[in-house]
Amino acid sequence: MARHRNVRGYNYDEDFEEDDLYGQSVEDDYCISPSTAAQFIYSRRDNPGGYAETLEEEEYGYEDTEHSNCISNRPLTGVEKAQLESCLDHMREVLGESVAEKVMVDAVLQSKFDVQQALDFVLSQDKQNMKTKNEDTVLTGKATKGKARESQATRIESDIVPKVTKMTVSGRKQTTGFEVPGMTVEENGHNIFPPQKGFSSGDANANLGAAEILSKPVLPPQTIQPLEEPIVAPTQKRSGKAKQQIDVKAELEKRQGGKHLLNLVIIGHVDAGKSTLMGHLLYLLGNVNKRTMHKYEQESKKAGKASFAYAWVLDETGEERERGVTMDVGMTKFETKTKVITLMDAPGHKDFIPNMITGAAQADVAILVVDASRGEFEAGFETGGQTREHGLLVRSLGVTQLAVAVNKMDQVNWQQERFQEIVNKLGQFLKQAGFKESDVAYIPTSGLGGENLVTRSQSSELTKWYEGKCLLEQIDSFKSPQRSVDKPFRLCVSDVFKDQGSGFCVTGKIDAGYIQVGDRLLAMPPNETCTVKGIALHDEPVDWAAAGDHVSLTLTGMDIIKINVGCIFCCPKEPIKACTRFRARVLIFNIEIPITKGFPVLLHFQTVSEPATIRKLLSVLHKSTGEVTKKKPKCLTKGQNALIELQTQRPVALELYKDFKELGRFMLRYGGSTIAAGVVAEIKE
Ligand code: GDP
């Protein structure tokens, strides 16, 4: 139960004195970092359900031309075509696939659309004759008969192709879907991506070399293609043409209509009111319509959890709702006056810290929600709460701007003294954790009542002592980070899933560079190339996307089995390095057992969570100057800065911190506690 005991019980005051390295280093040059767990999934778009319609239109469309001049050498009229279709449907029900379509069509036309007569006619024909005919058809592939068969096959195949087969890594949020014949429950759920590489391919494309795939138009099998159209239509149109180079910066300006992009993560102790606060904010912004909100209210009332109605806007899974806790990181988009915000609601419960880390690893700014109620703030902050760990983690992950929502102020009658008490306690800690005072704002709120969220509260209880911003104004005034659009392309996979059709999808935030449909990408590991067939940004298909965007990529030319959460997709010309051994500067957190050579850890890096071992303790470093104070120490203890060598079980793709801050930071966890944060100093092999 005391999984995070070490970090929670950590006396930060001891280690963050005046000019301690951490407080300073997190600033810019040193810095600490993060991690993640493989099993989380984003709330993803519900796949559009209207594919069946598209499919049907496509499937039957051919018959128009097929039968158009079959009656007395004149084209069929509209009514006749309809009659013919109706008769054919009826006959197919009776005859199934045993009779070629042309035979049926002839019979229908001869019997002048009398289906019974047509059936008698067909059935009375010499069976052997018919069989031979059919075989001929298949063998020679004559257009009409072949198509008839094909159309049946199409129908059968489309019946079994899942409309929404999201084989996510965690298996959660696997909303709708059909079972795919021949696939075990295990495959359909968690274990489709085994941890090791080098599996044989289940994907037809995987047997083709990358060059071979590129030389062909990248199209899914024709029978499945219509299902895919809503996602990749623009891609397919483009794939034949030469790719146009774009001026990304100008396009970004245009796309965002002058608004800047900001990735915002909501953090804080469980039950602080994170989901309620953001759910209510989205409702007030009009992102959730009244009818849906009414539905949530009714459903939550029925479930005996009326107070969770707003939280249900973000807590999407049954388990989350049942337990009343956020588990996965929910993702939503909303806009302020000057920004387009991607909101991530991270879980506060200690069991889901790795998920929280994944969310935070992709954030630019954070809102820390604390419960102002007496005893509750203290529970979250002092005795085993997540407030401290979350604060420290996001800072280590590179988040520098923070808004603190001092929530549930209604519970303390909007008392200024209570607000000030919390501001003082938190302020001290956040400063030690490396946040600049000027980058932290405190806002009194009531998520449940909706006070001070999107408009400044008019309540005299608050206005008599608070004149500051409301939460939305604060979000709007965050400074947008610089996007590394000019750097080579990098995207760290946060989820992998099989969607409809050929290829598969990965999601993640683009850390650097930009990407266009048709681009080739290299995945590290497994060091294989693929082609980008489609890009979706906030569920909309787009032709390009750039650093800072959370995207879903449809990829072909690679076997899904080779891609795990944590793989980095990069530009093949300027690839990221994959290694199993690297050197790093680390800051040791509060640990009870000193770290010695051979210490096993879990390396959390972006969305990677990989077992590793501390192979060498190279030196202890001075906290402020970074000078070596001791060579080859026997052990490392809490609060020390050190240079160590790490060895991972499987290759991981990393960058040197000096070259690429986002991809050069990591965290080390052991026994459920974060024991160190580090930056990559040297990649060995
Ligand atoms: P989370 O775990 O941080 O996401 O917290 P939830 O949003 O699930 O809220 C936990 C509980 O606190 C729910 O019962 C909410 O109704 C309640 N709650 C949230 N915000 C407020 C608030 O501003 N005032 C009061 N009185 N209760 C709140």
Side-chain angles (χ1 to χ4, degrees):
M1 284 310 290
R3 290 178 56 185
H4 305 292
R5 189 176 62 243
N6 294 339
V7 169
R8 289 199 306 255
Y10 189 45
N11 183 356
Y12 295 95
D13 299 350
E14 271 179 23
D15 303 307
F16 299 120
E17 295 144 11
E18 274 309 275
D19 58 350
D20 77 63
L21 175 69
Y22 187 59
Q24 198 185 66
S25 61
V26 265
E27 231 19 12
D28 276 313
D29 51 349
Y30 182 77
C31 225
I32 317 299
S33 183
S35 68
T36 299
Q39 77 271 35
F40 116 166
I41 317 181
Y42 294 119
S43 165
R44 193 187 314 285
R45 103 196 125 90
D46 285 328
N47 283 257
Y51 298 155
E53 275 172 41
T54 327
L55 177 68
E56 257 158 41
E57 275 170 30
E58 295 275 330
E59 275 177 357
Y60 293 100
Y62 73 89
E63 293 184 353
D64 258 15
T65 47
E66 197 71 31
H67 311 304
S68 57
N69 49 11
C70 284
I71 191 164
S72 314
N73 291 331
R74 68 164 171 83
L76 295 178
T77 65
V79 177
E80 284 165 342
K81 275 186 212 162
Q83 279 180 311
L84 172 64
E85 285 308 324
S86 159
C87 290
L88 288 176
D89 279 350
H90 191 90
M91 290 175 77
R92 275 186 208 112
E93 273 176 31
V94 178
L95 301 169
E97 274 192 275
S98 62
V99 180
E101 185 147 321
K102 177 137 193 347
V103 176
M104 293 198 288
V105 171
D106 288 343
V108 172
L109 297 180
Q110 276 184 30
S111 63
K112 301 214 168 57
F113 306 105
D114 182 329
V115 73
Q116 284 310 329
Q117 247 187 50
L119 272 171
D120 288 348
F121 177 75
V122 171
L123 290 169
S124 66
Q125 276 195 348
D126 183 330
K127 273 186 189 166
Q128 190 52 48
N129 219 355
M130 225 162 50
K131 225 176 170 186
T132 323
K133 247 181 162 182
N134 277 341
E135 276 164 14
D136 283 347
T137 309
V138 175
L139 287 172
T140 55
K142 274 181 196 162
T144 47
K145 292 176 188 173
K147 223 159 193 178
R149 231 163 223 283
E150 211 174 59
S151 94
Q152 287 287 358
T154 306
R155 219 157 282 129
I156 288 161
E157 189 154 0
S158 65
D159 283 343
I160 59 165
V161 168
K163 275 186 186 169
V164 183
T165 316
K166 281 186 173 183
M167 292 186 282
T168 58
V169 172
S170 71
R172 271 194 224 125
K173 301 217 170 163
Q174 199 169 343
T175 45
T176 48
F178 303 91
E179 220 173 72
V180 184
M183 182 177 277
T184 63
V185 174
E186 202 175 45
E187 283 169 322
N188 216 352
H190 291 229
N191 297 336
I192 188 80
F193 312 112
Q196 302 296 332
K197 305 183 298 160
F199 293 87
S200 67
S201 156
D203 182 340
N205 280 339
N207 295 328
L208 305 171
E212 213 176 324
I213 283 163
L214 284 170
S215 66
K216 297 178 179 207
V218 186
L219 288 174
Q222 54 170 337
T223 51
I224 307 173
Q225 190 182 339
L227 288 174
E228 271 211 318
E229 255 170 350
I231 309 168
V232 295
T235 319
Q236 289 175 356
K237 268 178 224 145
R238 292 172 45 103
S239 61
K241 294 181 203 164
K243 210 176 61 176
Q244 277 177 4
Q245 277 306 316
I246 52 166
D247 178 352
V248 185
K249 285 189 177 159
E251 290 293 326
L252 263 174
E253 274 295 313
K254 243 194 273 168
R255 185 184 82 190
Q256 288 159 204
K259 289 193 178 188
H260 288 277
L261 208 85
L262 199 67
N263 295 301
L264 170 73
V265 67
I266 313 296
I267 55 169
H269 190 63
V270 65
D271 277 352
K274 299 180 292 296
S275 301
T276 304
L277 185 84
M278 295 319 289
H280 206 152
L281 183 119
L282 291 174
Y283 172 66
L284 293 174
L285 284 174
N287 286 37
V288 185
N289 66 36
K290 279 202 172 125
R291 198 144 36 99
T292 312
M293 203 56 242
H294 183 70
K295 194 178 114 212
Y296 289 152
E297 276 167 15
Q298 295 301 317
E299 285 175 0
S300 57
K301 224 183 259 172
K302 244 193 244 164
K305 295 175 186 291
S307 68
F308 283 93
Y310 290 113
W312 281 22
V313 172
L314 292 164
D315 291 347
E316 290 176 11
T317 66
E319 199 179 346
E320 285 180 325
R321 290 178 172 184
E322 207 169 286
R323 292 182 58 175
V325 296
T326 311
M327 287 150 70
D328 277 341
V329 178
M331 233 195 260
T332 324
K333 180 187 135 184
F334 68 92
E335 291 189 23
T336 65
K337 231 186 265 170
T338 62
K339 310 248 161 31
V340 178
I341 312 283
T342 303
L343 166 74
M344 291 167 284
D345 179 28
H349 197 282
K350 65 180 186 306
D351 288 353
F352 305 109
I353 286 252
N355 292 4
M356 176 266 157
I357 295 174
T358 306
Q362 303 179 61
D364 304 312
V365 296
I367 294 181
L368 172 64
V369 183
V370 295
D371 185 341
S373 320
R374 299 225 167 262
E376 291 302 322
F377 168 73
E378 287 72 17
F381 186 60
E382 280 153 12
T383 44
Q386 262 65 63
T387 310
R388 275 174 184 262
E389 186 166 7
H390 279 193
L392 190 59
L393 287 176
V394 289
R395 184 61 195 87
S396 302
L397 289 161
V399 169
T400 53
Q401 302 174 73
L402 189 71
V404 180
V406 182
N407 196 33
K408 305 197 190 179
M409 281 297 288
D410 56 308
Q411 294 284 63
V412 293
N413 302 320
W414 300 91
Q415 276 173 12
Q416 183 179 10
E417 298 72 39
R418 178 62 174 160
F419 178 78
Q420 209 49 55
E421 185 188 345
I422 291 171
V423 170
N424 293 344
K425 281 189 183 168
L426 265 178
Q428 209 183 352
F429 163 71
L430 292 172
K431 196 172 155 202
Q432 288 163 351
F435 286 99
K436 275 190 201 159
E437 248 172 83
S438 57
D439 283 338
V440 182
Y442 298 87
I443 299 122
T445 58
S446 167
L448 200 58
E451 286 292 305
N452 220 23
L453 300 189
V454 299
T455 51
R456 294 190 185 198
S457 173
Q458 298 303 315
S459 158
S460 62
E461 278 173 311
L462 183 60
T463 49
K464 68 184 174 204
W465 60 267
Y466 182 78
E467 288 175 346
K469 290 174 180 148
C470 66
L471 190 60
L472 192 69
E473 286 174 311
Q474 180 53 45
I475 296 172
D476 193 53
S477 64
F478 278 128
K479 286 170 264 167
S480 294
Q482 283 291 321
R483 306 270 164 222
S484 317
V485 176
D486 298 327
K487 288 191 176 176
F489 181 79
R490 300 283 188 266
L491 174 141
C492 186
V493 175
S494 61
D495 196 11
V496 189
F497 62 98
K498 181 89 180 86
D499 220 326
Q500 308 86 12
S502 67
F504 63 95
C505 295
V506 296
T507 56
K509 182 185 140 195
I510 302 179
D511 285 303
Y514 69 96
I515 189 176
Q516 279 181 268
V517 169
D519 277 355
R520 286 185 69 187
L521 289 182
L522 176 72
M524 289 290 276
N527 195 12
E528 287 197 21
T529 51
C530 60
T531 306
V532 180
K533 209 177 89 185
I535 306 171
L537 178 67
H538 296 299
D539 299 345
E540 301 287 333
V542 289
D543 291 344
W544 59 272
D549 289 340
H550 272 276
V551 289
S552 171
L553 305 180
T554 307
L555 305 170
T556 52
M558 183 185 276
D559 191 347
I560 183 172
I561 212 95
K562 298 199 172 146
I563 298 302
N564 289 313
V565 165
C567 285
I568 307 254
F569 279 90
C570 59
C571 162
K573 284 185 194 144
E574 293 170 277
I576 190 168
K577 283 188 193 130
C579 67
T580 52
R581 228 157 41 86
F582 65 93
R583 291 187 171 184
R585 284 182 64 180
V586 291
L587 170 75
I588 311 294
F589 287 2
N590 183 32
I591 48 166
E592 284 167 3
I593 319 159
I595 292 174
T596 47
K597 205 171 132 182
F599 199 87
V601 289
L602 209 54
L603 171 78
H604 285 273
F605 154 74
Q606 288 265 337
T607 58
V608 178
S609 177
E610 179 68 24
T613 310
I614 298 179
R615 275 273 156 257
K616 287 182 187 163
L617 305 179
L618 296 158
S619 54
V620 176
L621 306 170
H622 189 275
K623 276 186 176 185
S624 312
T625 62
E627 278 169 23
V628 176
T629 56
K630 190 175 182 183
K631 280 191 179 168
K632 296 191 180 169
K634 287 254 174 332
C635 65
L636 297 173
T637 54
K638 71 174 178 182
Q640 278 187 325
N641 248 276
L643 188 65
I644 61 167
E645 191 169 299
L646 280 151
Q647 174 133 35
T648 54
Q649 272 184 12
R650 294 174 300 169
V652 287
L654 297 160
E655 296 277 5
L656 296 182
Y657 178 73
K658 70 175 174 55
D659 298 338
F660 230 122
K661 284 185 184 174
E662 297 88 339
L663 298 169
R665 295 182 169 122
F666 63 88
M667 289 233 165
L668 299 178
R669 284 171 65 84
Y670 173 76
S673 300
T674 308
I675 59 161
V679 295
V680 181
E682 189 184 342
I683 293 173
K684 297 299 274 187
E685 60 190 41

